[in-house]
Amino acid sequence: MMFWYDHDVSGWGWFGMSVGMVLFWALVITALVLVFRAANRPHDHTPTPTPTPTPPTPEQILGERFARGEINEEEYQRRLNALRLGPLAKS
């Protein structure tokens, strides 16, 4: 019987234990919510591969030079025929 009278928890002790228990469960629930949100968040850091631009074809380059006025129509037609026919056109 001495135990019950010797180690009595006063009102402040009960208050401290109650606040401690509420804070403990609030911490546990907050941690679970944060873990759940982090697991279900879409991954923004994964880079999507960007398509590499295709280099212009020789005919496109020739057309651009003609459009800029670097070569005249006769030169354009001659070079275009050479591109389309290949190396056999020279003989």
Side-chain angles (χ1 to χ4, degrees), residues 3-45:
F3 177 74
W4 296 106
Y5 295 112
D6 237 356
H7 300 90
D8 187 22
V9 178
S10 65
W12 286 111
W14 285 106
F15 177 75
M17 283 193 302
S18 300
V19 169
M21 187 58 65
V22 169
L23 290 176
F24 170 77
W25 284 112
L27 180 66
V28 168
I29 291 170
T30 303
L32 289 174
V33 167
L34 290 176
V35 167
F36 181 75
R37 281 186 176 179
N40 288 332
R41 185 176 357 155
H43 301 290
D44 294 335
H45 63 278

Side-chain angles (χ1 to χ4, degrees), residues 51-81:
T52 56
T54 57
T57 64
E59 291 182 8
Q60 289 173 336
I61 294 172
L62 187 61
E64 289 173 4
R65 289 186 64 196
F66 179 62
R68 286 192 300 257
E70 294 177 7
I71 56 175
N72 59 15
E73 185 178 355
E74 180 183 322
E75 181 74 15
Y76 173 74
Q77 290 297 331
R78 186 176 64 78
R79 290 182 184 222
L80 186 62
N81 286 334

